[in-house]
Amino acid sequence: MSMAGTARVSGTASEDVRWYQRAVFYEVLVRGFFDKNDDGTGDIPGLIAKLDYLEWLGVDCIWLLPFYQSPLRDGGYDISDYWTVLPEYGQIADVAQLVDEAHRRGMRIIADLVMNHTSDQHPWFLESRQDRTNPRADWYVWSDDDQRYADARVIFVDTEKSNWSLDPQRGQYYWHRFFSHQPDLNYDNPEVADTMLDVVRYWLDIGLDGFRLDAVPYLFERDGTDCENLPETHAYLRRLRKEVDSLYPGKVLLAEANQWPEDVVEYFGAGDECHMCFHFPLMPRMFMAVRREQRYPVTEILARTPSVPEGCSWGIFLRNHDELTLEMVTDEERDYMWSEYAKDPRMKRNMGIGRRLAPLVDADRRVGELLHSLLFSLPGSPVLYYGDEIGMGDNIYLGDRDGVRTPMQWSPDRNAGFSRADFAQLYLPPLMDPVYGYQSVNVEAQMRNPSSILHWMRRMLEVRRQHPVFGTGTMTVVSTDNPSVLAYVREPAGGDPEAQAAGVAGSDPALAAVAGFVGAGGQRGAEATPPDVVLCIGNLSRFAQPAMLPLQRWQGMTPIELLGRVPFPAVGEGPFFITLPPYGFYWFALMERQGSGVTADVGPAST
Amino acid sequence: MVEVDQFEVSTGRFGLVQEGLPAGLARLLGPYLARQRWYAGSGVPGELRVLEGGTLVELPAQARLLWAVVVANDHRYQLLLAERPAEDATRRVAGHEAATLGSVEGRAYYDATVDAEMALALLEAASGGAYKAKVARPLGAEQSNTSVVYDDKMILKIFRRLAGGPNLDAEVTSALARAGFAHVARPVLRWRKGGTDLAFGQEYLAGGTDGWALALTSLRDLYTPEPLRGDGYKDQDRSDPEMRGGDFAAEAERLGRVTAEMHLCMAGAFGTSRDWSTSWSSLLGSLEADLRHIGEDMVGAARSLLQRLRSLSDLGVALRPHGDYHLGQVMRTDAGWYVLDFEGEPNRPVEERLRPTSPMKDVACMLRSFDYATSYATRFQMVQAEMAGAGAQLPELAARGEVGPRASALEPLAQAWKERNGDAFMKGYQSCSGIEELLPADPADRETLRMGYELEKALYELSYERAFRPEWAEIPLHALRRLFGGP
């Protein structure tokens, strides 16, 4: 399926078990995507109705926020029944149909799974809290006092004072790393550990292609530790992975562990825990690099990111349904990000900033495109957040994190084309402000406008898909004296047969047709396909910038710009000189001119 | 065979495969030498003597890498020359006319460092085969050396002016690395002949940017207005660099900490001296003599500062300083700041560069460099466009004291930037544990000591600028006025 979306997903096992390394993910809030039954809330049939759109956009895998039965006090992350779908969203049969329809279009579906805790409305908890002897008495973490595990930090500092809350009914304290209405399950109880594997098997049987595992560092608690990243937690993840690999090959486990990369990498294990982990610290640093107009915030975090085991990938993102996560930057950097991006105190949420991408960059399309060009070309699989492909805004006056969860803006029609319910019935009002409101920002208008950000996004995803090296290649930063310029080369890792076989032009027939060029570094034998090598250059400054790039290793190669397939002057003996407009970026394939009769040549070639 | 990405420190090896240079080459050397940036004289030397020379490496296709030491006007120079059949050379020297010597009997001669194949052969020969690279990239000549980067992993500095004996930079860098200072590029190769350093190889700091460029990036952002954010017509307060995207303070603070670590390692490697008041007094004596260069209006204030400097009873310790510490000598990399180039101020005599001083000297010099960065950006970079538009020449306007309305409008921003980043640098410096052992106990004394070195540096700058760039003299003059308590 990585090839131009021609392959189709069979639904159970797939020959391409590493699909996630080349995939582009798209995060969907079912509630906010499309309302099929006109009740004011998005639903799974609504998402099915929009699969054609996502296929057209070039999405490979859809990530669904929790769709399980829930009192919805935390956006569905407070599950009250793992076996059923929230009735507003649909039924199990709808999920099965969604999976089938997506697979038919070459797309996959993964879903959030909250293993660490349940809602306090979950029958397990209702039973557990009754007394100290009931059959589920040990399914949660109970204590006579609130002093145990004192070294564990409180994560939601705005709302919670302690990780313990007193349950008056049972007369004991229960443990919760997040909200007090989300008691942590007790994984030391084998029944709990086994039951969660039942949950996993149940949904994989229905056809899901994997899970985004919420809050994985916190499964176990131990005295004298901070109760994060414990060996017991890793052991349980290995058990889960083994189960998934043996019964359901080609499924993916994506860990949410908001930690420093050197700690997060533990969740890949030796390639025997999660297939993917989110790279959290990269995200705020991409914003910071643009603000500072220098590359070091990005390059230094990449330099301290350990390499991942074979078959593993980072999930990288610019924004998601949570805050601009600042837990992983230093205090000083956090203050700085706050002062830069969240002058309004309402925008502060917990340890982060609750804004969408477009308002974060003051609706500057150049910055948005630059940031996306980084997202699509840095090592890892990009994760888009619904609505960011059209530059949707947010509503900071809605409570909690709802500001970035407003309805998808499909058209300038009533309710943004999201729902035909009465306006007052909508789960949240669509944006109606003059800059980001649905009258000006919507899918329909942007599909009709070839120069829209939506079309730009689609084109970028297309180019990315044509060059698997973006997903699986190594990355080497190219030195330049200009701190505002970030340049790097993506090359196939040794022994990546697929990227090698993809060859210089990737699977872009038009690029292959640029007469007389073959790829960088290759032997020119007829049998050997030269590898796909891509050079990425970005200008992080709001001013035009020059750069001298030491590309001598590719001397004689011609950089061909990937969006327009325009050949640039060949790399000569000296540094490669290039100028970039404000926030400009280029992606080049490095190709070798072959033979004579080159028609596409431009500029002075130095060879 | 060790590839260059597998570093092991190599002592290098010198050996010629054949003594003697080709006949007829000698007459080409003078004009070539005169074109080099590292040549100390001016014009073709009247007399040039080949002290020693020969073939360093025989290469395929009848090519040779030649090595020689020549003497011209009492200076010794190291030459590395390529010899190739003339038809092979043409392509290789294209664009490097200054590096070309000419031809003798169908053999072409040119500077070997512009020829990647020759540069690769040089590395292999100099390291006794310990290092082998795939790509050589000449960085171009600097004032006293020529550098080549190998595989983006190693940089080899080829010393052009040979003083005879160890090279200061190679010596200090190696000693600091041994003392555990993590912020110098790791030394990996010292190529020597007898006691003389010929070339020095270090880990290449790929992706690095020097502090000067980074400071100018920050100032560029500060000096360029941003569109308004928020509501209303009220302009945001732009004078606070802390609120601007390009804020440099975190970098400055980290640089301060690295500077303190450098001084602690200097103390460990070369020792310290507690009793150095004689050399402090002689410094004050020469400062007093230099006061004749400044305007009458400032002399009174200057003398009272000197008085304070003389009355300092606690000077802290003296140690080997960096000696030429400024933003251009530090490099930001993905692993933080690195310190480069321990040769000291090239225009001062070696014994003066080796003289122990208070570590506050380097601190003062870096703070002067912050001042230069802001002044450079204010008076020149930002104003240039404005002046070009007016058709005026910058030097003549500056000489008349008219540096344009933009510059004076930017002055408060410059001042705020300098203060914020100077404070951050000092905060980082003093936060390094152990540094207090090297400094006067009383913070007020530290401050006074620093002002003494700032005075020394500014006076040096003043004489330099007046001699070579009169239009820049306003920068040290302005600094002196502030040092003396002026606005």
Side-chain angles (χ1 to χ4, degrees):
Chain A
M1 75 160 288
S2 62
M3 299 297 156
T6 49
R8 289 295 178 258
V9 179
S10 64
T12 51
S14 166
E15 63 292 339
D16 181 15
V17 295
R18 298 256 177 103
W19 58 271
Y20 52 87
Q21 291 192 302
R22 283 175 291 274
V24 172
F25 290 74
Y26 183 94
E27 179 184 357
V28 168
L29 175 73
V30 172
R31 169 175 304 272
F33 207 58
F34 187 64
D35 173 18
K36 190 76 187 294
N37 63 358
D38 305 339
D39 66 350
T41 294
D43 42 43
I44 290 169
L47 175 55
I48 294 170
K50 294 297 183 184
L51 285 176
D52 286 341
Y53 165 73
L54 295 176
E55 185 190 9
W56 172 84
L57 180 59
V59 167
D60 299 303
C61 181
I62 299 163
W63 157 27
L64 303 178
L65 296 187
F67 53 68
Y68 315 95
Q69 183 67 266
S70 163
L72 297 178
R73 294 186 63 193
D74 181 25
Y77 288 93
D78 47 338
I79 297 171
S80 58
D81 182 358
Y82 286 97
W83 316 108
T84 60
V85 175
L86 191 71
E88 298 148 76
Y89 291 172
Q91 299 171 352
I92 295 284
D94 295 320
V95 176
Q97 193 197 346
L98 170 68
V99 167
D100 287 346
E101 292 286 339
H103 287 176
R104 213 163 53 75
R105 291 169 173 81
M107 292 188 287
R108 286 177 165 87
I109 307 275
I110 66 169
D112 252 299
L113 182 63
V114 189
M115 300 198 299
N116 181 64
H117 51 260
T118 68
S119 159
D120 61 359
Q121 303 305 307
H122 199 292
W124 298 341
F125 187 71
L126 297 177
E127 187 177 345
S128 187
R129 70 190 290 190
Q130 279 175 0
D131 51 51
R132 303 183 187 192
T133 56
N134 70 70
R136 291 210 164 85
D138 289 333
W139 277 49
Y140 292 84
V141 181
W142 295 96
S143 172
D144 288 333
D145 63 41
D146 59 356
Q147 298 307 308
R148 222 176 158 189
Y149 312 131
D151 294 335
R153 68 193 166 117
V154 174
I155 294 168
F156 286 168
V157 286
D158 286 357
T159 47
E160 301 298 332
K161 287 192 173 56
S162 164
N163 287 320
W164 292 103
S165 287
L166 181 66
D167 180 56
Q169 196 173 348
R170 176 156 156 164
Q172 274 188 308
Y173 291 89
Y174 63 90
W175 178 251
H176 56 86
R177 289 310 300 268
F178 298 91
F179 292 115
S180 58
H181 59 76
Q182 289 167 331
D184 276 30
L185 285 162
N186 176 20
Y187 275 83
D188 280 321
N189 182 338
E191 288 177 348
V192 171
D194 292 346
T195 302
M196 200 51 69
L197 289 186
D198 291 342
V199 171
V200 165
R201 280 189 298 264
Y202 175 77
W203 288 104
L204 292 180
D205 283 336
I206 287 170
L208 289 186
D209 295 291
F211 298 98
R212 179 260 195 191
L213 302 175
D214 186 65
V216 287
Y218 315 101
L219 298 187
F220 285 82
E221 299 78 29
R222 288 295 176 266
D223 289 312
T225 72
D226 62 3
C227 300
E228 300 181 15
N229 313 319
L230 297 179
E232 291 82 355
T233 298
H234 287 291
Y236 184 74
L237 288 172
R238 280 194 295 276
R239 183 180 164 200
L240 170 63
R241 169 69 180 263
K242 215 172 154 189
E243 183 89 358
V244 169
D245 274 0
S246 59
L247 296 177
Y248 310 91
K251 305 292 180 180
V252 71
L253 299 174
L254 165 56
E256 184 221 24
N258 192 352
Q259 317 270 343
W260 280 109
E262 50 264 50
D263 298 324
V264 172
V265 80
E266 299 292 314
Y267 287 93
F268 294 119
D272 58 357
E273 293 187 25
C274 295
H275 304 78
M276 294 181 68
C277 292
F278 281 120
H279 195 307
F280 280 91
L282 175 62
M283 183 264 293
R285 280 162 173 277
M286 286 194 270
F287 288 91
M288 197 183 297
V290 169
R291 191 62 188 147
R292 286 268 196 262
E293 303 199 3
Q294 48 135 304
R295 64 179 175 268
Y296 292 105
V298 167
T299 55
E300 72 185 357
I301 200 69
L302 292 174
R304 67 181 287 187
T305 298
S307 58
V308 300
E310 171 75 13
C312 295
S313 280
W314 293 107
I316 58 177
F317 55 98
L318 291 168
R319 295 297 306 114
N320 63 22
H321 61 283
D322 277 333
E323 308 81 14
L324 175 55
T325 311
L326 299 183
E327 279 173 62
M328 289 305 119
V329 296
T330 62
D331 286 349
E332 178 227 338
E333 286 174 341
R334 181 164 55 233
D335 291 347
Y336 158 80
M337 292 297 290
W338 267 347
S339 71
E340 288 312 329
Y341 284 103
K343 299 243 157 86
D344 185 336
R346 279 173 191 266
M347 297 181 192
K348 296 185 184 181
R349 296 272 185 262
N350 297 318
M351 300 284 266
I353 297 170
R355 305 228 63 182
R356 267 188 182 271
L357 179 70
L360 269 178
V361 299
D362 293 331
D364 190 327
R365 181 160 162 194
R366 298 170 306 171
V367 182
E369 291 187 357
L370 172 68
L371 288 170
H372 276 104
S373 83
L374 294 177
L375 179 72
F376 296 152
S377 63
L378 285 170
S381 301
V383 182
L384 292 166
Y385 184 51
Y386 85 95
D388 280 352
E389 75 272 25
I390 52 171
M392 254 172 73
D394 51 34
N395 180 352
I396 56 166
Y397 298 96
L398 296 170
D400 191 35
R401 288 169 283 188
D402 284 342
V404 297
R405 299 175 183 186
T406 57
M408 179 70 180
Q409 293 167 195
W410 293 106
S411 74
D413 299 341
R414 182 166 64 96
N415 299 336
F418 157 75
S419 170
R420 300 185 57 208
D422 290 343
F423 178 81
Q425 212 182 341
L426 300 182
Y427 76 100
L428 284 176
L431 299 182
M432 288 175 282
D433 67 86
V435 178
Y436 303 107
Y438 64 82
Q439 297 279 1
S440 44
V441 175
N442 63 69
V443 171
E444 185 185 297
Q446 292 202 15
M447 285 189 78
R448 288 180 184 178
N449 174 7
S451 69
S452 64
I453 185 157
L454 179 62
H455 276 283
W456 179 87
M457 201 76 76
R458 177 172 184 251
R459 177 78 183 113
M460 291 294 280
L461 293 183
E462 184 182 24
V463 170
R464 189 183 192 280
R465 198 162 38 248
Q466 286 160 346
H467 296 270
V469 71
F470 282 124
T472 54
T474 61
M475 172 195 168
T476 312
V477 174
V478 179
S479 296
T480 154
D481 289 341
N482 187 336
S484 297
V485 173
L486 171 59
Y488 46 95
V489 171
R490 303 295 314 272
E491 290 176 87
D496 177 0
E498 198 148 342
Q500 298 278 354
V504 61
S507 60
D508 177 1
L511 186 58
V514 174
F517 289 99
V518 299
Q523 309 87 326
R524 257 171 288 178
E527 70 286 351
T529 316
D532 184 17
V533 176
V534 177
L535 165 69
C536 308
I537 312 172
N539 173 11
L540 301 163
S541 167
R542 61 194 163 110
F543 309 107
Q545 296 291 334
M548 303 280 275
L549 303 174
L551 295 177
Q552 279 87 344
R553 220 186 108 197
W554 292 278
Q555 189 176 332
M557 301 289 156
T558 298
I560 298 188
E561 199 278 325
L562 287 180
L563 286 174
R565 305 173 185 104
V566 178
F568 272 50
V571 179
E573 195 184 345
F576 185 73
F577 177 70
I578 194 152
T579 55
L580 296 118
Y583 300 123
F585 74 92
Y586 297 117
W587 288 355
F588 292 113
L590 291 176
M591 302 176 86
E592 193 171 355
R593 184 191 293 108
Q594 204 176 34
S596 55
V598 176
T599 53
D601 195 10
V602 293
S606 70
T607 49
Chain B
M1 191 75 56
V2 182
E3 303 287 324
V4 299
D5 52 351
Q6 300 165 288
F7 284 134
E8 279 170 23
V9 177
S10 164
T11 49
R13 200 188 56 150
F14 185 86
L16 294 174
V17 296
Q18 191 194 333
E19 295 278 343
L21 295 179
L25 176 59
R27 66 178 174 80
L28 301 176
L29 295 177
Y32 157 77
L33 196 59
R35 284 194 300 270
Q36 307 312 308
R37 220 184 134 197
W38 34 268
Y39 175 58
S42 58
V44 178
E47 195 192 347
L48 183 142
R49 196 157 49 88
V50 178
L51 213 58
E52 49 185 329
T55 305
L56 199 60
V57 187
E58 299 267 10
L59 286 97
Q62 297 170 357
R64 291 196 294 170
L65 172 59
L66 307 176
W67 174 88
V69 175
V70 300
V71 180
N73 306 330
D74 295 333
H75 284 284
R76 290 207 287 162
Y77 299 97
Q78 177 180 210
L79 308 184
L80 285 158
L81 301 174
E83 180 196 277
R84 285 189 187 274
E87 62 273 22
D88 293 350
T90 321
R91 176 174 59 88
R92 294 173 191 267
V93 297
H96 298 290
E97 283 67 27
T100 312
L101 282 78
S103 297
V104 180
E105 292 170 2
R107 318 280 299 165
Y109 297 91
Y110 55 93
D111 192 322
T113 58
V114 305
D115 182 326
E117 196 187 335
M118 293 279 172
L120 292 172
L122 170 66
L123 175 68
E124 215 177 322
S127 64
Y131 292 124
K132 207 177 156 72
K134 292 184 197 72
V135 179
R137 174 159 71 81
L139 282 191
E142 287 140 55
Q143 271 182 0
S144 57
N145 53 58
T146 305
S147 298
V148 181
V149 174
Y150 293 99
D151 288 358
D152 275 344
K153 297 271 170 46
M154 183 201 285
I155 180 165
L156 186 69
K157 223 187 234 186
I158 300 155
F159 301 118
R160 293 305 198 162
R161 292 194 220 173
L162 301 180
N167 173 275
L168 217 51
D169 185 34
E171 190 177 58
V172 178
T173 305
S174 304
L176 283 176
R178 271 197 305 277
F181 184 50
H183 303 274
V184 281
R186 210 144 43 97
V188 290
L189 171 62
R190 258 181 109 166
W191 189 37
R192 314 178 77 172
K193 180 171 189 291
T196 302
D197 279 298
L198 299 177
F200 182 43
Q202 287 171 278
E203 168 193 11
Y204 177 64
L205 303 174
T209 310
D210 71 41
W212 180 257
L214 223 52
L216 290 184
T217 301
S218 169
L219 284 159
R220 176 184 74 203
D221 176 63
L222 180 65
Y223 288 172
T224 313
E226 276 188 320
L228 289 173
R229 281 179 190 219
D231 302 323
Y233 300 103
K234 196 168 152 285
D235 212 342
Q236 275 186 319
D237 180 13
R238 294 203 306 114
S239 62
D240 184 0
E242 188 181 349
M243 298 306 290
R244 300 301 299 274
D247 187 20
F248 187 70
E251 299 287 2
E253 188 177 336
R254 285 190 288 264
L255 181 59
R257 206 171 303 130
V258 165
T259 305
E261 284 170 34
M262 171 181 79
H263 285 146
L264 289 168
C265 289
M266 282 283 199
F270 298 101
T272 57
S273 134
R274 276 248 152 235
D275 180 27
W276 59 288
S277 53
T278 331
S279 99
W280 174 246
S281 301
S282 82
L283 170 69
L284 296 183
S286 70
L287 290 185
E288 177 143 38
D290 285 344
L291 288 184
R292 66 178 187 277
H293 297 306
I294 64 175
E296 283 300 322
D297 51 324
M298 284 194 279
V299 169
R303 288 197 196 288
S304 78
L305 174 60
L306 270 178
Q307 202 49 48
R308 277 168 65 200
L309 295 174
R310 281 211 179 80
S311 62
L312 265 182
S313 56
D314 178 8
L315 297 172
V317 304
L319 45 75
R320 171 88 69 100
H322 178 281
D324 188 20
Y325 203 49
H326 56 78
L327 281 165
Q329 306 278 43
V330 291
M331 181 155 277
R332 172 69 155 96
T333 72
D334 291 341
W337 287 103
Y338 278 70
V339 184
L340 314 173
D341 203 349
F342 290 84
E343 272 184 296
E345 275 181 39
N347 297 323
R348 302 220 183 202
V350 171
E351 54 278 14
E352 196 184 320
R353 295 190 231 164
L354 295 178
R355 187 179 301 151
T357 68
S358 166
M360 275 297 162
K361 179 183 168 121
D362 286 341
V363 168
C365 288
M366 184 55 76
L367 295 178
R368 290 293 312 125
S369 185
F370 283 17
D371 184 37
Y372 254 75
T374 56
S375 300
Y376 172 80
T378 318
R379 290 163 199 277
F380 299 96
Q381 195 179 333
M382 300 303 298
V383 183
Q384 219 133 32
E386 194 176 311
M387 303 229 159
Q393 290 299 309
L394 183 62
E396 73 190 50
L397 276 181
R400 296 206 306 265
E402 297 168 20
V403 284
R406 276 298 290 288
S408 50
L410 294 174
E411 199 52 54
L413 296 182
Q415 200 55 42
W417 191 94
K418 214 156 44 186
E419 271 165 27
R420 173 165 169 78
N421 293 298
D423 289 350
F425 179 85
M426 290 311 295
K427 186 177 160 208
Y429 187 81
Q430 308 205 39
S431 74
C432 182
S433 81
I435 197 69
E436 62 283 353
E437 310 285 327
L438 306 180
L439 304 174
D442 184 348
D445 289 347
R446 294 178 190 175
E447 184 80 351
T448 309
L449 196 58
R450 198 189 78 205
M451 287 171 76
Y453 286 110
E454 283 195 50
L455 176 62
E456 181 198 15
K457 183 73 179 176
L459 287 171
Y460 173 78
E461 289 162 3
L462 183 62
S463 71
Y464 178 89
E465 302 297 14
R466 280 187 171 153
F468 300 105
R469 305 185 293 194
E471 71 274 18
W472 290 56
E474 183 51 33
I475 297 177
L477 276 173
H478 184 72
L480 286 167
R481 279 194 290 274
R482 290 193 66 88
L483 207 53
F484 301 145

